Amino acid sequence: MHRAINLSRRQFALGAGLAAATGATGMIYAMETSVHAMDNGIHPPGMPWTHRSTFGALDIGSVRRGWEVYKQVCQACHHLRYFVNFRHFCDYRFPFMTEEEAKVEASEFLVDDIDDKGQPIRREAKLNDAVPPPYQFPGGRWLGEWGLPQNNNKAAAAANNGALPPELSLMISARTTHHHRGDDYIYCLLNGYFDPPAGIKLDEGKAYNPYFPGGLISMPQQLFDEGIEYKDGTPATQAQQAKDVTNFLTWCSIRSYNDTGKRWALELLLLLPLFGAILVYGKRNAWDVKSRRRRSRGATMVSISNREALQQHPLLLASTRYPAARL
């Protein structure tokens, strides 16, 4: 009886300790989560992007419309620094327009260059040229190291109340964290401008966006219903513009490995049964050869051992020669 009481006390103490540890862990997690949410704002929800599925790809039409949004709205302040040339628009890996259309798009931009005599000139952009930045250096110095377009950051900050507009070619990858994806963040940010709640004071040149860390952002709202006109006649709502420019920035950020990697994976999956059949056939053939060699080697060893035993024992040798002697 006394032993049973001690056992029940131990079980009760163990259960109480586990419950206390679980409650303390839950409280600490809730406190950490609440502090993180207040510091970083609202985490954007996941959106049903076509390129998220296993065999899905970027929406080509949306990417092209996103280029129109970038050209008419975003390009006034932001630039595409890392390896976004006009020839990539018609590249074989993931084009969203023809070569002739890409040439027309490039001709709408003027870039600084030097002529055959070394004098600075301005000419129309070509397919091999990078998308020029909005704030260029005077005198034709708009290409920096590795041929990357160099933005005049001082002029950009001076034109935007001291806030430097970020580079956008890798923005999707840069804003991808363990809490949310970069495309979800950009889409919700562009649609997330609201009036500030009570108690929040906006400084001059600031806007309220709960998806931006801290809630106060230097970029005012840029997308509005019917703010631009699409060439294909798609209604240019604010949500549609945000979706299209997000797809275009996704194309800028992951065009080199997203759809190409999926295509390679699909080709490998189609070839996997053939490789498996070859490996199985080779394995069986190799093991059959080895097993035959082992059986023949074992039979040879047995015959040799039997011969040695017969030579050492004359009676066994006689019994093998004269079966009647066994009796």
Side-chain angles (χ1 to χ4, degrees):
M1 184 67 181
H2 182 69
R3 189 174 183 179
I5 293 174
N6 290 335
L7 183 60
S8 62
R9 288 178 178 177
R10 291 178 182 177
Q11 293 177 350
F12 176 78
L14 180 60
L18 290 176
T22 303
T25 303
M27 184 178 296
I28 293 173
Y29 174 78
M31 293 176 64
E32 290 293 331
T33 305
S34 62
V35 171
H36 191 274
M38 286 188 296
D39 289 343
N40 292 339
I42 301 176
H43 296 300
M47 307 302 295
W49 302 101
T50 57
H51 56 272
R52 291 278 188 86
S53 61
T54 304
F55 299 105
L58 285 170
D59 186 354
I60 296 179
S62 180
V63 171
R64 176 158 184 168
R65 292 191 299 270
W67 160 249
E68 297 181 27
V69 176
Y70 170 80
K71 182 176 63 174
Q72 300 183 42
V73 180
C74 308
Q75 204 269 338
C77 299
H78 300 273
H79 67 292
L80 302 173
R81 174 173 171 79
Y82 295 101
F83 307 108
V84 180
N85 295 12
F86 290 104
R87 60 183 173 82
H88 294 147
F89 296 173
C90 56
D91 189 75
Y92 70 95
R93 289 177 295 181
F94 196 77
F96 60 88
M97 62 177 62
T98 63
E99 182 176 351
E100 296 300 326
E101 292 173 339
K103 290 181 179 179
V104 173
E105 293 291 336
S107 64
E108 297 180 4
F109 291 84
L110 295 177
V111 297
D112 293 328
D113 201 354
I114 56 175
D115 58 12
D116 296 336
K117 298 180 180 180
Q119 299 299 321
I121 60 173
R122 289 183 66 85
R123 60 169 177 82
E124 293 182 353
K126 301 179 182 179
L127 284 181
N128 288 331
D129 291 324
V131 178
Y135 302 96
Q136 300 184 18
F137 287 95
R141 293 189 304 107
W142 73 286
L143 291 180
E145 189 178 3
W146 302 102
L148 300 176
Q150 187 72 25
N151 192 43
N152 192 339
N153 292 335
K154 292 185 178 180
N160 292 275
N161 297 323
L164 178 63
E167 187 272 334
L168 295 183
S169 63
L170 299 179
M171 183 57 65
I172 298 296
S173 300
R175 291 298 181 266
T176 298
T177 65
H178 63 284
H179 290 292
H180 55 257
R181 297 285 296 267
D183 44 11
D184 296 332
Y185 171 79
I186 297 298
Y187 177 80
C188 293
L189 180 73
L190 295 175
N191 288 302
Y193 286 89
F194 302 98
D195 294 330
I200 295 182
K201 181 181 178 181
L202 294 180
D203 297 333
E204 184 179 359
K206 297 289 185 179
Y208 178 74
N209 194 315
Y211 294 102
F212 187 76
L216 301 180
I217 185 172
S218 299
M219 182 181 71
Q221 183 176 351
Q222 299 294 322
L223 303 182
F224 302 91
D225 292 339
E226 305 302 329
I228 66 171
E229 184 177 355
Y230 286 129
K231 293 181 180 180
D232 60 358
T234 302
T237 62
Q238 177 182 349
Q240 184 67 45
Q241 296 176 56
K243 173 187 174 182
D244 294 338
V245 75
T246 301
N247 274 325
F248 172 71
L249 295 180
T250 303
W251 175 88
C252 293
S253 182
I254 65 174
R255 71 180 188 279
S256 60
Y257 61 87
N258 181 56
D259 297 311
T260 303
K262 290 182 179 180
R263 185 171 63 251
W264 288 351
L266 183 59
E267 293 175 355
L268 288 177
L269 288 177
L270 295 176
L271 293 176
L272 188 61
L274 177 60
F275 291 155
I278 294 175
L279 292 176
V280 170
Y281 176 77
K283 178 179 180 300
R284 289 183 176 180
N285 188 27
W287 280 105
D288 288 343
V289 172
K290 290 182 179 180
S291 61
R292 287 196 297 267
R293 289 178 180 177
R294 289 177 180 176
R295 286 196 298 267
S296 62
R297 186 179 301 174
T300 304
M301 295 299 294
V302 170
S303 62
I304 294 175
S305 61
N306 291 338
R307 189 179 305 169
E308 293 178 352
L310 292 174
Q311 292 176 357
Q312 294 177 2
H313 300 278
L315 293 178
L316 292 177
L317 179 61
S319 63
T320 54
R321 291 180 177 179
Y322 305 103
R326 298 177 184 177
L327 302 176

